[in-house]
Amino acid sequence: MLFSITLLPSIIVAYLYHDGGLTTFITVMMVLFSLGLLLWYPVHNYVQELKVRDGFFIVVMFWTILGFMGAIPFYLGPSIVISPTDAIFESFSGLTTTGATVLTGLDHLPHSFLWYRQQLQWMGGLGIIVLAVAILPMLGIGGMQLYKAETPGPVKDAKLAPRISETAKALWYIYLGLTLACALGYRWAGMPWFDALAHSLSTVAIGGFSTHDASLGYFNNPQVEAIAILFMYLAGINFALHFTAWRHLSLSPYRLDPEARTYTLLLLGATFVVTAYLYFNQVYPTWGEALRFGAFQTVSIATTTGFATADFAHWPAFVPMFLIMLSFIGASAGSTGGGMKVIRVLLIWKQGVREIRQLLHPNAILTVRLNGKAVPPRVINAVWGFFSLYVISVGTLTLILMALGLDQVTAFSAVAAMLNNLGPGLGQVAANFQQVSDPVKWVLTFTMLLGRLEIFTLLVLFTPAFWRR
């Protein structure tokens, strides 16, 4: 029912632009609201505290069902000729903030459908689940279980406020504030209002959908690109840090946080490498151009946003592969970005250093420390478990796609793009995913969901122990 109400902005856009989408969105809203009402009303008086396993199940069903429901407007849209598989792929790509698309001719699509795509990403980034966590306690249902099951990152017990509903509201306000600031920045840089608002939704969601086939390259505007870099960077930081910095009106939380420092240094170092490589290989004749395009594409791919201002897939082979590998690290935990998360990679690095030191000093008691505090062994074990499953997932899914007919580069980059919620790939999927077969699209749709729910949350449902009473 809540999801159906979120179609109202698309209805308003369709009415303002007279683009033919009005009937479609009104019909879909009424159907979804009625279906939700039929499911909710018979049990609306039933109250029971959620358990942890309930949280896992609800979150997975939440994303899965809304992914399928979100495909209906794409399929029924009068100006979009699309198969059910493509509609479902596009919807899941939006809600999981992946940003891979099967649509072309975006410049000529109705404004209401373009807005709907952008809004899907915005809700998927942080909106839907935070809204649900804030509202569920009002209905007498505990929200912390959902928060733990969905929140990205290795440490999930920290709350910003005493009550989970207050935590959700705090995250919601920060998310909304960043979105509005981003929209104003785009408008100041010269974007039309519609494009500014639409792109702000996918920028803060680290989604990458655009209203133009050429993505942000359509505007060919250095100011627009600078605004995008700034807000992609901010959206890739742990939102708990934003909350703490706002509450104390201080930048110290960013400076003192080891993950934020590593994230920033990683982006700066990668930007330098890409810029230097582009310049010395004469892809761009001046340092200024190499920096402009190299910095944008590095931040876009490393934060798993997926915007483009250049066809990076055709740069010298080292650069696109380097950027794809960066996407495996991704953004910070507690952000809307994908990938393994910077904090996990940092802990794996520290654990590797610890093991080397242990070889040199076998009798010493050495611990992994983060910001001066010892990291509990259970967290290290969880990180290594996640990393192992991530590597196994990449290998297995790549082989499946190769068995379905894709070449090695396309298969690997497609899995990386979906599992890291990145969007653009290499080879046959460098531009879009329209040309790949339906079985490949279904595998990739599952991979998007696997990446968005950080593997454990989804795979736990496939274990026999989960279903035992």
Side-chain angles (χ1 to χ4, degrees), residues 5 10 38 64 89 98 151 166 198 215 224 270 290 292 308 331 339 422:
I5 294 171
S10 298
L38 286 173
T64 304
F89 181 94
T98 302
T151 304
E166 295 302 317
S215 190
V224 165
R292 174 187 169 185
L422 166 61

Side-chain angles (χ1 to χ4, degrees), residues 31 75 125 138 145 185 189 202 311 327 350 403:
V31 169
Y75 185 66
M138 302 176 194
Q145 291 83 350
S202 55
D311 189 359
S327 74
K350 286 179 172 288

Side-chain angles (χ1 to χ4, degrees), residues 70-101:
I72 297 174
F74 290 122
Y75 185 66
L76 297 180
S79 303
I80 304 176
V81 179
I82 195 171
S83 69
T85 296
D86 283 353
I88 290 166
F89 181 94
E90 195 78 12
S91 175
F92 271 91
S93 181
L95 278 172
T96 59
T97 72
T98 302
T101 185

Side-chain angles (χ1 to χ4, degrees), residues 67-374:
F68 282 107
M69 295 300 101
I72 297 174
F74 290 122
Y75 185 66
L76 297 180
S79 303
I80 304 176
V81 179
I82 195 171
S83 69
T85 296
D86 283 353
I88 290 166
F89 181 94
E90 195 78 12
S91 175
F92 271 91
S93 181
L95 278 172
T96 59
T97 72
T98 302
T101 185
V102 293
L103 298 178
T104 55
L106 296 177
D107 302 77
H108 306 293
L109 285 183
H111 284 71
S112 55
F113 287 95
L114 291 174
W115 178 268
Y116 176 65
R117 290 172 80 241
Q118 305 300 112
Q119 187 179 292
L120 276 179
Q121 291 209 316
W122 191 73
M123 292 188 300
L126 194 69
I128 294 179
I129 193 65
V130 170
L131 188 64
V133 171
I135 288 177
L136 282 175
M138 302 176 194
L139 304 178
I141 304 172
M144 193 61 199
Q145 291 83 350
L146 291 181
Y147 181 73
K148 281 185 176 181
E150 199 280 338
T151 304
V155 183
K156 300 174 183 254
D157 293 326
K159 291 190 286 186
L160 313 182
R163 294 175 59 85
I164 182 58
S165 60
E166 295 302 317
T167 298
K169 288 174 187 174
L171 294 174
W172 175 267
Y173 291 141
I174 293 167
Y175 193 63
L176 181 60
L178 280 176
T179 304
L180 293 175
C182 183
L184 292 173
Y186 279 143
R187 182 70 185 104
W188 169 82
M191 273 193 186
W193 271 114
F194 178 80
D195 282 335
L197 290 167
H199 283 91
S200 70
L201 299 181
S202 55
T203 302
V204 175
I206 306 190
F209 271 166
S210 176
T211 55
H212 302 281
D213 286 323
S215 190
L216 287 185
Y218 170 86
F219 301 97
N220 192 26
N221 185 328
Q223 286 78 30
V224 165
E225 293 158 22
I227 295 294
I229 288 173
L230 173 63
F231 282 94
M232 286 188 290
Y233 168 74
L234 291 175
I237 294 174
N238 191 328
F239 273 65
L241 286 182
H242 291 317
F243 176 83
T244 306
W246 175 261
R247 185 170 59 181
H248 297 289
L249 297 177
S250 170
L251 297 178
S252 295
Y254 302 112
R255 181 174 53 85
L256 298 175
D257 184 74
E259 184 182 29
R261 291 199 305 268
T262 304
Y263 168 71
T264 303
L265 291 173
L266 188 67
L267 290 180
L268 290 174
T271 297
F272 174 78
V273 169
V274 171
T275 300
Y277 199 86
L278 292 175
Y279 176 74
F280 287 117
N281 282 272
Q282 300 180 336
V283 178
Y284 295 103
T286 66
W287 273 104
E289 283 187 276
L291 177 61
R292 174 187 169 185
F293 293 102
F296 182 91
Q297 218 55 63
T298 299
V299 175
S300 177
I301 301 300
T303 59
T304 73
T305 309
F307 282 138
T309 56
D311 189 359
F312 80 98
H314 288 90
W315 285 349
F318 163 77
V319 178
M321 186 55 68
F322 176 67
L323 294 177
I324 291 292
M325 298 308 292
L326 273 180
S327 74
F328 279 98
I329 300 174
S332 305
S335 74
T336 55
M340 289 186 288
K341 304 294 186 297
V342 173
I343 188 67
R344 287 196 181 98
V345 176
L346 182 59
L347 287 174
I348 289 171
W349 170 263
K350 286 179 172 288
Q351 172 70 357
V353 171
R354 191 198 78 88
E355 291 299 325
I356 292 173
R357 292 178 60 198
Q358 194 77 65
L359 289 174
L360 297 174
H361 308 284
N363 296 322
I365 300 176
L366 303 174
T367 58
V368 175
R369 306 184 73 82
L370 203 61
N371 219 20
K373 298 178 181 178

